[in-house]
């Protein structure tokens, strides 16, 4: 199954399944049923079955899933064995918040450093992450095999940063700046808009 076929909502629950399975003693739990997983995590059984079918195929009648195989498959889908390095450009309020957040590693993403044009921001954060001068971007990305660029600079400078990241050989961009970026066809571009997520929630409230 292509990993892109896993729905966003399912993807959000996969780390919880994996954490639960990894907490089990495999010798005593060679097989695991969707019923047991659902009960432990407080999810609906139908939802658990649907999620696990999407990543691992159907469980066997009466036996459920082989626990070790399910762990292997979830690890694969979450990209834990294929960690991709990312960098942040713009170590301001948002850039710093992302840099300090530990949750990306659950999905096989490692933010290795942030860069800022303001050289007075260079240094090591409390969490031990490095902020480097923008002048070191190209050298760092090549040396550390960086694949993802996260843009948290003001909109007026975002395209220029985007072009520099593309020239560094990155493959995907996660853009927070409120502007439309132009990238070559082969580069994956995801535009993030937190206001849009909240607006979507508000719309659902209004329709409830
Ligand atoms: P901020 O002013 O705190 O941080 C911006 C940082 O970018 C500063 O440290 C600045 O020195 C640095 N910078 C400016 N030009 C640069 C350049 N050419 N190269 C490298 N660094 C540069 O701003 P913020 O609140 O962190 O917001 C950052 C961006 O994210 C803005 O574009 C903002 O509109 C956007 N934003 C988007 C969302 C969203 O949901 N998409 C949410 C919040 C903020």
């Amino acid at each position: 199954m292509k990993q892109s076929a896993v729905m966003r909502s399912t993807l959000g629950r996969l780390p919880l399944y994996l954490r639960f399975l990894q907490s089990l003693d495999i010798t005593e739990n060679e097989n695991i049923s969707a019923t047991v997983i659902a009960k432990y995590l407080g999810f609906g059984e139908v939802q658990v079955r649907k999620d696990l079918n999407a990543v691992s195929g159907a469980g066997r009648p009466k036996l459920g899933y082989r626990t070790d195989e399910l762990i292997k498959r979830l690890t694969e889908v979450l990209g834990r064995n294929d960690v991709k390095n990312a960098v942040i450009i713009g170590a301001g309020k948002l850039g710093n918040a992302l840099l300090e957040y530990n949750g990306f590693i659950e999905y096989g993403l490692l933010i290795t450093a942030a860069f800022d044009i303001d050289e007075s921001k260079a240094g090591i954060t409390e969490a031990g992450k490095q902020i480097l001068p923008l002048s070191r971007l190209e050298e760092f990305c090549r040396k550390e095999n960086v694949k993802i660029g996260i843009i948290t600079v003001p909109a007026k400078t975002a395209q220029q940063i985007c072009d520099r990241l593309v020239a560094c050989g990155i493959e995907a961009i996660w853009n927070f700046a409120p502007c439309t970026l132009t990238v070559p066809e082969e580069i994956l571009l995801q535009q993030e808009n937190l206001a849009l997520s909240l607006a979507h929630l508000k719309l659902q409230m209004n329709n409830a």
Side-chain angles (χ1 to χ4, degrees), residues 90 92-94 116-117 121 134 152-154 157 161 176 178 192 194:
K93 293 182 285 295
L94 180 59
D116 204 285
I117 200 158
K121 295 199 171 178
L134 187 64
T152 53
V153 296
T157 189
I161 292 299
F176 283 83
E192 195 64 55
L194 299 179

Side-chain angles (χ1 to χ4, degrees), residues 6 10 32 35 48 53 82 91 97 101 106 109 111 132 160 188 199:
V6 176
T10 295
I32 186 101
T35 315
V48 172
N53 285 1
D82 173 33
Y101 180 57
E106 299 241 44
L109 298 159
I111 300 182
L132 299 169
Q160 184 200 330
L188 288 167

